[in-house]
Each structure stands twice: as structure tokens, then as C-alpha cells.
Amino acid sequence: MADKKFDVVPLYEWGMFTEPRPSVVAGPCSAESEEQVMETAKGLRELGINVFRAGIWKPRTHPGCFEGVGAEGLKWMQRARKEYGVKIATEVAGEKHVAECLKAEVDMVWLGARTTANPFLVQEIADALKGTDIPVLVKNPVNADLDLWIGALERLSRAGIRKLGVIHRGFSTFDKIKYRNDPQWQVAIELRSRYPELPFFVDPSHMGGSRNYIQEISQRSLDLGFEGLMIESHCNPSVALSDAKQQLTPAELKDLLYNQIVVRESDSDSPEWRENIDQLRAKIDVIDENIIYTLGSRMRVSRQIGEYKKHNNIAILQTARWDQLFAKVVEKGEEYGLTEKFLTDVFNAIHEASVEAQNEIISGKK
Ligand code: PEP
Ligand code: MN
């Protein structure tokens, strides 16, 4: 069943982003002082950034850290808007923040990951925004719960917000991984395919947690067809009061956007491209049919084994047999350039389905 579409205004009609991709929101993690806001906004404006972000109220993991300068910072942002012509954006986590932002005529707000995870707060924010047409971006919740993310979007949409988009910043994980937050791109891809109408940003700063990963995450995100990037930028990142490791100077951001990332076309009208791609896709279609046929055949044999086990009163699972089979699969797979991770995912799915089918036979459901 197709999901109901969100009634949204296309990104390029919000009056703040222009094609071509990527649409960039940049600015410091936090507004720290009037000088820092002005200097950073000036640097960003010079490289063509239209939308300036800065956190005013900061949700910090531990108490006692810098928790933002509060509404005072909005005045500095207003000054940056007036002098440099940038649009200004900040994070809101409750109705008081919304009221301050509306009073300061902030151009866009976003909900942070910790807020999206809390439906009470999201509803409070949605209620406070009712009747406005301010653009709102919704970061993913800290945990990889797609429904919770969609639920937040629904609450804002029901409040009449039509300039609505998302920011993927990755998910918290207890495991030690390369990035600060786990991208789990499949969740982002699922959201995009269910709601292609929603403008989609990726936040490589919070996802990577280090300036060293901003390029690779930005490139990945463009290659996946997402149109926007939110990147933290500070005039002097090494002394930033929050997220010092994941911010670029405006000059570094310029180098990233103009020299280090490649914007690939999502499609082309060239006849040569069309002919070649159509041929390759035809091949893929045949291979996919073969895969389905082969999986079907495997499943039939698996059911026969199930019947045979039932007849002989043998349990479904023989783990030694599975370990042996899988070792052979990995060895063979390597010859074809398939990684162990990929084979594990595929064969675990196959194994699970086989066990399920045999279980139905043995328990007499089929
Ligand atoms: C931020 O954008 O500064 C921020 C706090 O991000 P997140 O909600 O993704 O942690
Ligand atoms: Mn930050």
C-alpha cells in the first residue's frame, strides 16, 4: 500500500535554496558571541551560502557543558541577516523556543534528534507553529525508528506546515564505529522511497563527528540523490564551545563544495547513455529473474528436506551442517568478489526462510 503523501512545497520554492544541488545550510554548532556569529556568517556569505545555522539552545548530554547563549544569540543572527543577507535558522526544542524564534522572525527552524524522539515535545512545537508558514526541518530521532521520524513529520504536517523537510544525521549506537552516529543509509533510503516529495538533507558533521569524514559522507549523500547538506562551520573551529572536531572553517567548506565533491546527474537524455543503460538494465532484469527462480528451487528442496526430517522424526536445525555450508559459501563467494558481510546477510535471510518453512511442515501447518 502506498503511503499517503505529505502536502509539501518543493524545496526550490521555499525562497531560500536554489538549484543546482547541493542546497547547503551552514554555520556554527552554537552561536557563542556576536563576533563569532558575524565573522562566520560573513565568511559563509562570501562563498555563496544562503542559509546560516547556529544553535542557540543546545541539548547537551552532560550537565555543566556549554548549553547555548539563549535568545540573546537570535539578535546576533538577526544582525548577520541584516548585514550579509543570509537567511537564519536554529534548533527549537519546545514552545518557548518557537515563540522566541517567531518573535525574531527566524527564517527556518529545525527539530534536533533528541526532540524528534519525543512526541510530546514534537506536538508542543507543532501546536506553537500552527498558523505560520515557516520552513521546518526534522532531524531523525536518535534511535533508528523510522515510524517515530514519520510521526513527527505527520504532527507538523497536520499543524499546517508545508515547507517541511528532513535531515538525516545518523543514529546513536553503543557499538564502537568509525562515525559518531551510524548512517544506516537503508533507513534514509526507505524514507526517501516512501515520501519522495520530502526535501532531504544530510548532516555529515553530526553523522561523522569529525571533519575528516565530512567529504565522504557528503559525497555519499549526493550520490544517493539527497539534495541538501547541513554542515557545521565556525570561523575558528579549534576553540568552538561545542562540537569542535566536526566543524569546518568557511574556507574549508568552500574547498569541499567547489573542489572535493562531485555532483553527478541523476539521469541523462543522451541517446548513447540511454542505449547502454537500457542494455545493462535488461541484463540485470534477466539475472534477477534467475535469482528468483533459483531461490524458488532452493526453497522447494528445503521443503522436501523438511518432509523427510518429519518422516524420520529429526529436528529442523543442525547447526554443524549450517556452519559447514556457510564456510563453503564464503570460500566460493570470495572467488566472485563477494564480501563475507554481504554473504552473511543474504544467506542468513535464506536460512531463516528455510527454517521457517520447515518449521511449518514439522509443526503440521502445511
Ligand atoms: C545540532 O545540529 O547542533 C545538533 C544538536 O544536532 P543533533 O540534533 O543532530 O544532535
Ligand atoms: Mn553540533
Side-chain angles (χ1 to χ4, degrees):
M1 193 179 70
D3 292 286
K4 193 167 175 303
K5 281 196 176 310
F6 283 100
D7 173 20
V8 289
V9 178
L11 185 64
Y12 304 115
E13 292 169 25
W14 291 14
M16 52 207 305
F17 297 105
T18 46
E19 278 182 284
R21 293 186 301 145
S23 295
V24 181
V25 178
C29 178
S30 305
E32 299 167 2
S33 68
E34 183 159 19
E35 297 69 43
Q36 171 249 12
V37 165
M38 293 305 285
E39 193 182 332
T40 309
K42 181 170 187 277
L44 291 172
R45 184 64 206 156
E46 280 166 7
L47 65 99
I49 299 295
N50 292 327
V51 187
F52 178 73
R53 65 150 278 161
I56 296 292
W57 303 280
K58 300 300 300 177
R60 304 307 299 276
T61 301
H62 297 285
C65 297
F66 172 67
E67 293 191 319
V69 293
E72 168 79 1
L74 291 175
K75 297 204 180 91
W76 310 334
M77 294 180 79
Q78 285 176 300
R79 196 179 144 212
R81 172 168 60 191
K82 193 156 171 230
E83 289 191 23
Y84 305 124
V86 285
K87 304 277 185 189
I88 54 176
T90 197
E91 173 179 343
V92 289
E95 62 189 351
K96 289 202 188 86
H97 298 165
V98 172
E100 295 281 6
C101 285
L102 294 178
K103 200 166 81 189
E105 298 182 337
V106 163
D107 301 292
M108 180 170 81
V109 294
W110 77 86
L111 275 62
R114 296 157 192 79
T115 307
T116 308
N118 183 336
F120 290 132
L121 285 178
V122 176
Q123 191 57 53
E124 176 183 310
I125 292 167
D127 291 342
L129 288 170
K130 215 174 229 159
T132 72
D133 72 342
I134 186 169
V136 183
L137 298 179
V138 181
K139 286 198 171 191
N140 61 265
V142 275
N143 52 326
D145 184 337
L146 182 55
D147 277 325
L148 199 53
W149 198 359
I150 294 170
L153 292 158
E154 286 167 348
R155 289 176 196 278
L156 289 154
S157 184
R158 285 181 182 205
I161 297 299
R162 294 185 59 238
K163 292 176 185 152
L164 187 62
V166 299
I167 307 174
H168 178 41
R169 47 75 92 192
F171 303 101
S172 280
T173 161
F174 185 66
D175 299 332
K176 272 243 152 320
I177 58 166
K178 173 173 159 185
Y179 295 150
R180 177 177 173 188
N181 288 296
D182 189 351
Q184 300 217 27
W185 289 109
Q186 75 280 12
V187 180
I189 292 167
E190 173 77 19
L191 182 63
R192 160 85 350 153
S193 59
R194 277 159 73 170
Y195 303 104
E197 70 279 12
L198 281 175
F200 211 116
F201 287 74
V202 170
D203 176 345
S205 291
H206 288 92
M207 190 178 281
S210 158
R211 65 180 61 84
N212 299 331
Y213 302 136
I214 292 181
Q215 190 278 339
E216 64 186 46
I217 297 171
S218 302
Q219 187 63 61
R220 185 73 189 271
S221 137
L222 287 174
D223 290 345
L224 288 170
F226 300 131
E227 48 276 296
L229 293 172
M230 176 183 262
I231 299 180
E232 288 189 330
S233 175
H234 188 295
C235 54
N236 190 357
S238 60
V239 298
L241 298 180
S242 57
D243 288 348
K245 288 191 290 191
Q246 63 188 41
Q247 310 201 51
L248 299 176
T249 62
E252 288 164 343
L253 181 62
K254 181 176 183 183
D255 192 45
L256 173 85
L257 295 175
Y258 293 98
N259 302 321
Q260 297 178 26
I261 55 174
V262 192
V263 182
R264 295 181 241 274
E265 294 301 325
S266 64
D267 211 339
S268 159
D269 293 332
S270 125
E272 188 191 318
W273 149 265
R274 272 262 70 90
E275 194 182 319
N276 288 332
I277 196 73
D278 286 349
Q279 276 178 19
L280 289 169
R281 285 180 177 154
K283 271 193 203 165
I284 283 279
D285 289 348
V286 172
I287 293 170
D288 283 349
E289 272 173 36
N290 285 336
I291 292 175
I292 290 168
Y293 173 80
T294 306
L295 286 175
S297 311
R298 191 188 192 286
M299 205 51 128
R300 260 196 312 280
V301 176
S302 180
R303 285 201 193 93
Q304 281 171 4
I305 294 179
E307 299 285 359
Y308 197 54
K309 282 179 185 167
K310 183 177 182 176
H311 192 72
N312 289 281
N313 211 17
I314 306 282
I316 300 171
L317 209 57
Q318 282 83 38
T319 45
R321 154 75 186 149
W322 179 252
D323 292 346
Q324 253 174 16
L325 179 158
F326 189 67
K328 255 198 265 165
V329 162
V330 172
E331 199 187 319
K332 193 86 204 147
E334 270 171 4
E335 284 172 31
Y336 290 90
L338 304 171
T339 65
E340 184 167 345
K341 156 93 179 68
F342 176 66
L343 295 165
T344 307
D345 289 348
V346 171
F347 276 82
N348 275 346
I350 292 175
H351 190 218
E352 230 173 81
S354 293
V355 170
E356 181 71 16
Q358 292 191 3
N359 192 34
E360 280 178 4
I361 290 164
I362 290 195
S363 64
K365 284 191 205 145
K366 283 259 159 76

